[in-house]
Amino acid sequence: MTIRRVIIIAASALTLIGAAHAGELKPVLSQKIDLGEVSGVAYYTVERDGFHVVATLAEGITGMPVRVRAILAPGQSVVLSTPRKVGAAAVAVEISRHGNQVLVGEAQTN
């Protein structure tokens, strides 16, 4: 899949999703991720070796994008976070797989 196609799919899905809410993520449809100064989208595909989760994040509109990829088996999760000032909890989102569902929600931080 080309980068252009991924961007078009993500942009199309964002217009359908509207504001991001914690909940179930559907295959190939993206969900907005907001980590304060850093934001982006996440989606997943179902592959033979697990659910391939891809999150693309950037700071503001002009920030260098960063792509994070993870393969989740049932019961696994990945946490994306951005730090804050010393003593303040990080802003964090958890993407977790429960059976055949992928859930996106606020992560517990220390």
Side-chain angles (χ1 to χ4, degrees), residues 11 37 39 51 56 58 61 64 68 70 77 83 94 108:
E37 298 286 325
S39 61
F51 287 11
T56 303
I61 295 173
M64 175 66 76
V68 178
S77 64
E94 179 178 37
Q108 299 297 319

Side-chain angles (χ1 to χ4, degrees), residues 1-106:
M1 183 178 294
T2 67
I3 292 175
R4 180 185 164 130
R5 185 167 179 208
V6 169
I7 291 170
I8 291 170
I9 289 171
S12 298
L14 280 177
T15 61
L16 297 173
I17 291 173
H21 298 285
E24 184 178 358
L25 181 62
K26 300 290 185 185
V28 183
L29 292 179
S30 64
Q31 182 167 337
K32 186 176 191 291
I33 295 177
D34 184 9
L35 296 170
E37 298 286 325
V38 175
S39 61
V41 295
Y43 70 92
Y44 78 96
T45 59
V46 178
E47 305 294 337
R48 224 178 301 150
D49 59 342
F51 287 11
H52 289 231
V53 176
V54 178
T56 303
L57 305 163
E59 183 176 7
I61 295 173
T62 59
M64 175 66 76
V66 174
R67 179 168 291 140
V68 178
R69 298 178 59 147
I71 301 172
L72 299 180
Q76 291 184 318
S77 64
V78 61
V79 174
L80 306 172
S81 67
T82 55
R84 291 190 183 175
K85 294 180 181 178
V86 174
V91 179
V93 171
E94 179 178 37
I95 303 171
S96 57
R97 180 174 172 191
H98 299 277
N100 287 325
Q101 289 185 316
V102 174
L103 304 175
V104 179
E106 187 175 336

